Amino acid sequence: MPKPFNGVINLDVRDSVADWGPYLAEEAPEGAPNVLIVLYDDTGLAAWEPYGGRINMPTMQRLADDGLTYTQWHTTALCSPTRSCFLTGRNHHQNGFAQIAEGAQGFPGHTGHIPMENAAMAEVLREKGWNTFWLGKNHNVPVDEWAMGATKRNWPLARGFDRFYGFIGGETNQWYPDLVEDNHYIEQPYLPEEGYHLSKDLADKAISFIADSQQSHPDKPWFTWFCPGANHAPHHAPQEYIDKYKGKFDDGYEAYREWVLPRMVEKGIMPADTELTPINPLPEGKVIEADAVRPWDSLSDEEKALFSRMAEVYAGYSEYTDAQVGRIVDYLDESGQLDNTIIFYCADNGASGEGSPDGSVNEQRFFNAWPDSIDDNMAMLDKLGSPDTYNHYPTGWATAFSTPFKMFKRYTFQGGVCDPLVISWPKGIKARGQVRHQYHHATDIVPTILECCGVEFPDNVAGYEQTPLPGVSMKYSFEDEDAPTTKKVQYYEMMGARALWADGWKVVAERGPLIGTGGFEHDTWQLFHTDEDRSEAHDLAAEHPDKVEQLVALWYVEAGKYDVLPLDDRSVAELVAVQPEAMIPPGGIYKYYPGTLPVPEFAAANTRGRSYKILAEVEIGSGDTQGVIYAQGARFGGHSLFVKDGKLWYAYNFIGIPPEQQLVSEVDLSPGRHVLGVEFSKEKLGERHETHGTAKLYVDDKVVAEGALKTQPGHFALCGEGLSIGHDSGDPVSKEYPAGFPFQGGKILEVEVNIGDDVYLDVEREFAAALARD
């Protein structure tokens, strides 16, 4: 409620008394801390050195030495859902994030739209006197709001953040990211050959945001949520960081598991009697084939070399990003802010299994169900991590980095939900370098921050009565390592996989996500006494059937309380088939204009699997006219219509597989106004559901080039790499021109994309790893 005016108003201002109280911003409690959350992606408990892993993380280790390392902190098993918990403090189904934003359905727990009744912590802190900043990944904007013409009601600035700089979606190219600043898309400030990497850029911006606020309001605390692209694919890193790990993973992922568990025990992360679980722990029919692990000794020497290099790149990527976080921590130290800054350094789910059993040098091939070949991959061995690749390691490393647990990201076993968390607050935590074993969850972060800041979550925010926070504060554990866990129960559900923990016991349904079988009422539930069996190695269901019955019944209670139902284990193909396509305009004709920002692929004209026409009304100048007219996608998949060397070109980059398909006009373009374009007529589907047909290049009504063409079955990019007019945004589609390649020496009036003759799309063929967007 607004504060009442307590002044005096009379006819004459001289007889009146002013009162600024209702109008000035509220001040934070005296001595309130700054808050920095560093939230990585796709990182298992056994990856990082502070937890016993091989990946050096000097900044995280520095914070762990000066703070606390938690061994039983948990997430939802997937990115968007976990991040929604960080945003609001509510369970992910309460937030409408049963899974990733792209998988939203028309049910209360599955909408991808966070209710206003679940206000973001930033909304609360900003009103209580904090500056609020968000850097990096934002996978909590609903897909229907990604485009510039859509509402911005779920963008960061509308949900409590003063500033935002990062990307919208589950992933982006780390060398050529699709950037957003505040409420609009922007071009990256400089290129990779000039030293650009997203992690570095985000750290630069974080420091500048904080510095800007401090120079004008030095006593005002701030809340910064720093979400790098790491460690999500594509795994991109400077070569010097990749080279640090040369040979360090040559022993393979099964040997890594045997090596890392004793180190985790030595560091106090795991009890001494913890056992390793199998690398393929689920029976046939309970797990999708893409999540299987190939035993290391079954690989060829070439595959071992390739897979080892993929792990080296991942490690270099992680450490390089840690170094950028280190720059932020150094700045806080040098500016005298570190002592009273509470820092949470953590990850949002287990290691990623979306690389398939074979890994990939171009993840877009996996998304298009186009298998990699060992020969093609080996040819890119020395380029892994560079702008020339879009790489992801195989499932074996996901299992290794989630040691000693079963499975990885997306699964409700510990491999999917148990994640690293270090908390440092020099002024507020006396304990140094200690380990904490209390059981906690991502929903407990908001209550912890609020208690540390001396702020109560209000009953009403912006006129909306608020839902209660289901989590508990972890502050009690800061000084008492033996304090009993205050959390009593936590449910889990992810795409049909489900579990529940209560008072040291956990039931897990024996099924993986996305298996597409239904039949949930017939699930077999496993039972683990997690206080004694942290790796969930021993199923005690047969010994304690009453306990299983009790906990399964409690799961249904929690499911009803938090909008978990209906359960959805449909395959990726089935999920994509029910996703609504962007609204198709009358006649299937989309119109685009120069001087506009990129249109995200999910809101742009969909040419996949269809016949289409791209027609541009263009004025060719009398001088040297050149540049991109229309571009969508990147070197790893996309198409572009452009003018070069006086001729009209059309390039179709099929999942980045050479050679690039090209049509080039036989004659030079003459000065004046023209209609330039390309027409693709589909003729058949290939065995992998790619579309084959004939493409014709037009200058006005004349065909100036013609040839066979095949088009991709899946997305050009899972997030970003939108449709651009007058330039190629981000990583260029074609090798024929440099980054950007703006249209110059003429004028683009309008570009039309016409799918009117083929509006129907076989949505059952719209498939391939929508979940890897997370």
Side-chain angles (χ1 to χ4, degrees):
M1 296 292 292
K3 296 178 182 178
F5 176 78
N6 292 318
V8 177
I9 299 176
N10 285 311
L11 179 64
D12 193 326
V13 70
R14 297 170 184 80
D15 301 323
S16 303
V17 178
D19 177 19
W20 282 102
Y23 311 112
L24 297 179
E26 189 172 338
E27 293 184 0
E30 185 176 354
N34 306 309
V35 180
L36 172 63
I37 299 175
V38 178
L39 184 60
Y40 271 67
D41 227 314
D42 292 0
T43 304
L45 201 68
W48 287 338
E49 199 279 333
Y51 281 80
R54 281 186 194 160
I55 301 176
N56 295 320
M57 303 287 284
T59 302
M60 187 187 198
Q61 187 64 63
R62 171 186 176 181
L63 298 173
D65 291 343
D66 207 30
L68 304 172
T69 300
Y70 285 78
T71 67
Q72 293 199 83
W73 179 77
H74 298 80
T75 62
T76 71
L78 203 60
C79 163
S80 290
T82 295
R83 289 161 190 262
S84 80
C85 299
F86 270 84
L87 273 171
T88 73
R90 278 71 165 201
N91 281 302
H92 60 296
H93 291 89
Q94 287 180 283
N95 292 323
F97 275 92
Q99 53 153 295
I100 59 173
E102 294 88 339
Q105 307 289 332
F107 302 102
H110 302 244
T111 65
H113 291 251
I114 296 176
M116 298 302 292
E117 290 80 5
N118 294 358
M121 177 175 56
E123 294 179 88
V124 175
L125 290 181
R126 183 165 69 178
E127 292 304 309
K128 293 297 183 180
W130 273 258
N131 282 129
T132 53
F133 311 124
W134 186 344
L135 289 302
K137 177 172 175 172
N138 179 347
H139 207 186
N140 292 102
V141 173
V143 173
D144 54 276
E145 296 186 15
W146 284 14
M148 289 309 301
T151 177
K152 299 293 182 294
R153 62 185 178 183
N154 284 296
W155 284 46
L157 270 60
R159 298 307 297 256
F161 288 90
D162 296 326
R163 298 296 309 275
F164 174 73
Y165 185 85
F167 62 97
I168 290 176
E171 69 176 41
T172 193
N173 190 315
Q174 300 297 294
W175 300 113
Y176 294 96
D178 294 278
L179 289 175
V180 171
E181 185 162 18
D182 296 333
N183 267 354
H184 61 281
Y185 293 95
I186 63 170
E187 297 293 330
Q188 66 190 84
Y190 53 102
L191 297 173
E193 52 266 33
E194 300 169 305
Y196 186 89
H197 188 283
L198 180 59
S199 295
K200 178 183 177 183
D201 189 16
L202 294 176
D204 289 341
K205 279 290 186 180
I207 293 169
S208 72
F209 283 0
I210 296 170
D212 283 344
S213 70
Q214 289 294 292
Q215 69 179 358
S216 62
H217 290 73
D219 296 325
K220 186 175 183 178
W222 45 262
F223 165 65
T224 298
W225 197 17
F226 187 83
C227 305
N231 285 321
H232 198 289
H235 302 155
H236 285 154
Q239 192 63 44
E240 61 267 25
Y241 276 83
I242 297 172
D243 290 344
K244 285 186 175 187
Y245 292 91
K246 187 173 180 59
K248 291 188 180 295
F249 298 96
D250 286 354
D251 52 348
Y253 33 73
E254 288 160 281
Y256 182 94
R257 299 182 85 223
E258 298 282 353
W259 172 87
V260 74
L261 180 54
R263 286 177 52 83
M264 299 175 81
V265 171
E266 181 183 350
K267 285 180 170 285
I269 305 300
M270 288 290 160
D273 58 354
T274 302
E275 297 179 28
L276 278 178
T277 54
I279 60 172
N280 289 302
L282 288 172
E284 186 177 352
K286 300 296 184 181
V287 61
I288 59 175
E289 292 183 6
D291 286 347
V293 174
R294 298 176 62 195
W296 189 258
D297 62 10
S298 72
L299 304 178
S300 68
D301 290 344
E302 286 185 323
E303 288 172 324
K304 290 178 180 178
L306 178 67
F307 291 5
S308 297
R309 189 60 168 172
M310 288 175 169
E312 294 167 15
V313 173
Y314 176 81
Y317 181 28
S318 192
E319 184 181 343
Y320 174 73
T321 302
D322 178 83
Q324 306 315 305
V325 177
R327 293 173 51 225
I328 300 173
V329 174
D330 287 344
Y331 160 72
L332 297 179
D333 195 5
E334 293 162 3
S335 60
Q337 301 178 71
L338 183 61
D339 187 58
N340 198 26
T341 299
I342 180 170
I343 301 177
F344 298 79
Y345 200 125
C346 44
D348 66 4
N349 49 242
S352 171
E354 276 89 12
S356 79
D358 297 327
S360 180
V361 301
N362 177 5
E363 195 184 24
Q364 305 300 339
R365 297 189 189 184
F366 177 62
F367 304 155
N368 282 269
W370 201 273
D372 291 89
S373 74
I374 186 64
D375 290 338
D376 289 344
N377 289 351
M378 285 300 297
M380 303 300 290
L381 180 66
D382 294 330
K383 294 185 177 182
L384 289 173
S386 76
D388 294 323
T389 57
Y390 207 93
N391 44 294
H392 194 305
Y393 59 50
T395 49
W397 289 117
T399 297
F401 293 139
S402 296
T403 301
F405 307 131
K406 298 174 183 175
M407 304 311 292
F408 32 73
K409 174 182 176 181
R410 292 178 281 112
Y411 287 80
T412 53
F413 292 103
Q414 289 291 84
V417 301
C418 189
D419 284 284
L421 168 66
V422 163
I423 302 179
S424 171
W425 183 18
K427 183 178 179 179
I429 300 176
K430 295 178 182 178
R432 296 288 186 272
Q434 295 184 11
V435 177
R436 294 290 184 265
H437 300 291
Q438 288 88 354
Y439 192 102
H440 281 288
H441 184 263
T443 51
D444 301 330
I445 297 297
V446 166
T448 303
I449 291 173
L450 293 175
E451 184 179 1
C452 293
C453 291
V455 173
E456 290 188 8
F457 205 97
D459 295 330
N460 189 289
V461 175
Y464 292 88
E465 184 177 349
Q466 293 297 295
T467 57
L469 296 176
V472 300
S473 172
M474 302 166 62
K475 190 172 184 291
Y476 74 93
S477 69
F478 287 179
E479 303 303 339
D480 188 352
E481 60 182 319
D482 297 320
T485 299
T486 59
K487 198 171 190 71
K488 297 303 180 184
V489 61
Q490 181 61 51
Y491 83 90
Y492 297 91
E493 192 280 329
M494 189 53 60
M495 296 169 293
R498 47 190 175 143
L500 180 130
W501 175 92
D503 295 322
W505 291 83
K506 184 180 176 186
V507 285
V508 185
E510 191 181 52
R511 65 157 63 224
L514 301 168
I515 60 175
T517 62
F520 300 103
E521 66 276 17
H522 303 302
D523 276 347
T524 297
W525 290 80
Q526 299 179 345
L527 175 70
F528 305 103
H529 192 188
T530 57
D531 281 350
E532 299 178 0
D533 177 19
R534 291 273 292 280
S535 64
E536 301 174 351
H538 297 284
D539 178 11
L540 304 178
E543 299 173 33
H544 301 282
D546 292 344
K547 180 63 108 173
V548 174
E549 184 178 355
Q550 172 196 350
L551 295 183
V552 171
L554 183 55
W555 185 92
Y556 280 99
V557 171
E558 296 294 290
K561 186 187 302 183
Y562 296 119
D563 291 329
V564 175
L565 303 181
L567 297 176
D568 187 357
D569 74 338
R570 286 176 292 181
S571 68
V572 172
E574 291 175 301
L575 287 172
V576 175
V578 298
Q579 289 176 5
E581 188 174 355
M583 185 179 295
I584 298 175
I589 298 174
Y590 297 76
K591 293 187 177 182
Y592 300 105
Y593 303 94
T596 55
L597 295 171
V599 180
E601 187 168 356
F602 285 92
N606 181 0
T607 59
R608 300 186 308 277
R610 288 178 166 140
S611 299
Y612 58 86
K613 303 182 183 100
I614 302 172
L615 304 173
E617 189 174 359
V618 175
E619 289 183 358
I620 301 296
S622 57
D624 182 18
T625 301
Q626 64 173 0
V628 169
I629 298 171
Y630 167 104
Q632 185 178 23
R635 80 176 74 190
F636 304 106
H639 58 152
S640 176
L641 185 70
F642 58 96
V643 176
K644 176 187 173 184
D645 299 330
K647 293 179 169 58
L648 180 65
W649 295 59
Y650 178 68
Y652 196 105
N653 198 326
F654 185 88
I655 326 179
I657 300 174
E660 183 179 298
Q661 302 174 99
Q662 296 176 350
L663 293 177
V664 185
S665 63
E666 299 173 351
V667 297
D668 289 349
L669 294 170
S670 61
R673 183 171 294 193
H674 297 279
V675 174
L676 309 178
V678 62
E679 177 183 22
F680 173 70
S681 300
K682 73 176 185 182
E683 296 163 359
K684 65 176 182 178
L685 287 179
E687 60 180 15
R688 298 190 182 105
H689 311 297
E690 76 280 10
T691 305
H692 294 262
T694 300
K696 297 178 180 179
L697 198 61
Y698 282 88
V699 175
D700 299 320
D701 59 351
K702 295 181 179 179
V703 176
V704 295
E706 183 175 352
L709 190 75
K710 64 181 178 184
T711 65
Q712 290 185 197
H715 292 287
F716 294 129
L718 293 178
C719 301
E721 296 292 2
L723 186 159
S724 299
I725 303 300
H727 70 292
D728 189 338
S729 178
D731 194 17
V733 169
S734 175
K735 68 179 185 301
E736 294 293 338
Y737 56 77
F741 199 40
F743 191 79
Q744 298 174 333
K747 184 177 181 180
I748 301 170
L749 303 176
E750 179 182 283
V751 179
E752 175 182 295
V753 180
N754 188 333
I755 59 171
D757 295 333
D758 194 14
V759 169
Y760 171 74
L761 181 67
D762 185 357
V763 291
E764 292 185 359
R765 301 304 186 188
E766 284 284 280
F767 60 99
L771 291 166
R773 297 169 195 151
D774 198 38

